[in-house]
Each structure stands twice: as C-alpha cells, then as structure tokens.
Amino acid sequence: MQTTFLSSGDLIADRRYDYAEALAEAGDAAGAADLYAQALEIAPHWVAAWFALGRARAEAGDRDGAAAAFARAAELDPEDRLGAALHAARLAGTSPAAPPAGYVRALFDGYAEDFDAALVGRLGYRAPAAIAAALAATAPGRRFAAALDLGCGTGLMAEAVRDRVDRIDGVDLSERMVARALAKGLYDDLAVGDVVEALAARAPGTLDLVLAADVFCYLGDLHPVLAAAARAMAPGGLLAFTVEWDEATGAPGYRLRDSLRYGHGREHVVAGAAAAGLVPVALDAVDLRRDRGETIRGLLAVLAR
C-alpha cells in the first residue's frame, strides 16, 4: 500500500495520528477526532488521516463532519481504496449500486495471505460446499464442459467442483488472490479483472456453468452481472451463486450493511433473473459463515438459461 496510507511523511503528524488511534481505541472518539484534525493541519493530503477523521467524527455523532472527511478522503484517492464513499453512503442511509473497485481490490489483496485459514478454519465458510451440493441436487451426474468462477479468490470454489468440470477459468479483482489460486493448479486459466467485464468478454453461449461463491455481496444491483452471465451462457447452462439475505430491503432490493457488504432481498434476485431471461431452479436459505460471533444467513440461487 502506498505511503499516503501508511505515513504522512511528517514525523509530528504521524505521532499525532498514533495518539489519535490510541484515543479512538480507548473510546474517546471526540478526542481522537481533534488529534486527527491536528495531524491534517500538518499533512493536509494524508488520505488515511481524513478517513480516520471521518470514522472518529461519525462515532462522536458529528455526521456532517464525518461526511465531509470521507468525501475528502475519496477525493484524494480516486480509487477509494479505503472505501470512504461507502462509509459516507452508510451515514446517508443510501446504497450505491456497486462499491469502488479499488476498495474491493485492496480489501482482498490484504486478505490473500491468510484467506483460507481465516475464512474456512475460523469463520466456518461454506458457500463453495453449499453451491456444490446444490449442483449435485439440481443437476445430478451432469458434467460441465466450460465453467467460469467469478471472484474466484484463492480457488475454494474450484476445489469444490473440479471433479465435475472439464474446464474451469477464474477471474478476480485481486491480483494477490489470483496468485494464490494459480499456485493450487486447479484452473485452466486465471485473470485479474472485473466480473461483469470478464463475462462480457466471453463469446455468447460458450459457458455452461457460472459460479459466484460469496461474491455478489460486494455488488449492489445484480441486474448487470446476471444479464452478462445470461449472455455468456449456453442454453441449459446454470448460474449458481450466493448472496447475503436481507429481509429488510425494499426498493431497490439491496442494502449496504454496516459490514460494507450488501444484503439482497429474494425479490431482487428473482427480478434480476427474470430480466436476464434466467429461470430459478433453486433458491434456498443457507448459512454462509460466521462474522463477529453471528451466523451470516444467505440465499443460494441456481438459475438456468
């Protein structure tokens, strides 16, 4: 990560930032905000300090001040690798159609080294296994000639279905995740990139299986990705994915949560499928993983073209 995040380049500003971090950890959000602001007087272009100021002000109840700090952090880093725009959206009670790609990329680059152990070992992650079981139930004995794993991460989905596919490719925004997946030797091809763009690059009707395990919680509006998948799928092809279940969503059918992941309502999934010309084969409740001591409930969808 660039030094604009790690350090201001000024020893005094860095020291005030460190003191502010200690106050924030101790629960003194107002005191922390004051010290972050002092650091920014010395280093006014320090993205991390603007972001931290936004969080401290929000914690202290200064919503307008927090929004202004988050806006400045996003302005200084057009990729928005810290997700300042998402925090601002949460303050405003809005849900952007998609998060900044730079935020998702940076998030998973940071997770890559410990991803499998943390997610599977400590958080009980089971989306790939649940998708594999759903495919076994809805398409028993079927082999798939060409599969694409969206948001492939380190390759956990490929591990779960490799014995049922003749060819499986993967795509992920995170270069470090793709490097970990490459080391496992499970994919026929791997690419770093956006999932909708990867689907759009496929010739129409060339995929008979599209997979997305715990990926669409980093998208808001699912209509674009479902339409892109349908275009790339052959007749009779299947799209299997999970979303985090949010029963409280009204229009537009999805909501940005405090976790900065999206929750989706069943109606949004069904409407997106219908708009893309896809037919639900299965749409079931599933436990996805644990997070902060709570079980994350989800929907597992298998859609057919």
Side-chain angles (χ1 to χ4, degrees):
M1 190 172 287
Q2 295 182 359
T3 55
T4 186
F5 296 110
L6 299 177
S7 169
S8 69
D10 183 286
L11 182 61
I12 296 175
D14 286 0
R15 186 170 298 157
R16 291 186 182 179
Y17 181 95
D18 290 341
Y19 290 155
E21 292 280 275
L23 287 178
E25 188 173 343
D28 184 359
D34 183 58
L35 280 172
Y36 288 130
Q38 290 181 34
L40 285 163
E41 290 175 2
I42 302 167
H45 299 290
W46 192 7
V47 176
W50 281 109
F51 180 79
L53 177 60
R55 297 211 304 185
R57 284 176 172 174
E59 185 69 23
D62 179 7
R63 297 174 65 87
D64 291 342
F70 286 135
R72 183 59 176 151
E75 180 184 4
L76 288 169
D77 177 29
E79 292 187 50
D80 197 9
R81 284 162 285 184
L82 295 177
L86 293 179
H87 283 273
R90 285 294 299 153
L91 283 175
T94 61
S95 296
Y103 164 73
V104 179
R105 182 182 301 111
L107 180 70
F108 283 95
D109 275 347
Y111 284 161
E113 190 65 30
D114 191 40
F115 188 76
D116 289 10
L119 203 57
V120 178
R122 296 194 289 273
L123 300 181
Y125 178 58
R126 61 180 307 271
I131 287 176
L135 290 174
T138 56
R142 179 177 174 182
R143 286 195 63 80
F144 298 92
L148 178 61
D149 184 9
L150 304 177
C152 64
T154 61
L156 296 174
M157 188 70 250
E159 291 177 5
V161 299
R162 179 72 255 196
D163 62 343
R164 298 193 61 186
V165 297
D166 296 328
R167 177 185 178 91
I168 184 167
D169 299 336
V171 59
D172 199 287
L173 271 176
S174 167
E175 185 174 354
R176 292 182 183 178
M177 286 285 193
V178 169
R180 294 294 301 274
L182 181 64
K184 293 183 179 179
L186 294 168
Y187 292 94
D188 295 279
D189 186 62
L190 282 163
V192 177
D194 174 80
V195 296
V196 175
E197 293 175 1
L199 287 165
R202 294 277 169 161
T206 53
L207 295 171
D208 57 356
L209 180 62
V210 180
L211 304 159
D214 217 21
V215 175
F216 291 170
C217 57
Y218 294 99
L219 296 175
D221 186 0
L222 297 183
H223 284 71
V225 72
L226 296 182
R231 173 194 165 277
M233 290 162 61
L238 297 179
L239 165 61
F241 62 90
T242 58
V243 296
E244 293 190 10
W245 193 351
D246 197 326
E247 296 177 352
T249 54
Y254 55 86
R255 182 172 63 178
L256 183 65
R257 296 171 141 180
D258 290 341
S259 63
L260 301 190
R261 298 188 302 266
Y262 288 85
H264 294 87
R266 181 187 183 97
E267 294 77 11
H268 183 74
V269 174
V270 172
L278 299 171
V279 178
V281 176
L283 191 57
D284 302 317
V286 63
D287 291 342
L288 296 174
R289 64 186 176 283
R290 295 184 301 277
D291 186 19
R292 301 171 192 176
E294 297 184 358
T295 297
I296 303 297
R297 295 286 286 162
L299 287 174
L300 192 160
V302 180
L303 309 179
R305 181 176 182 278

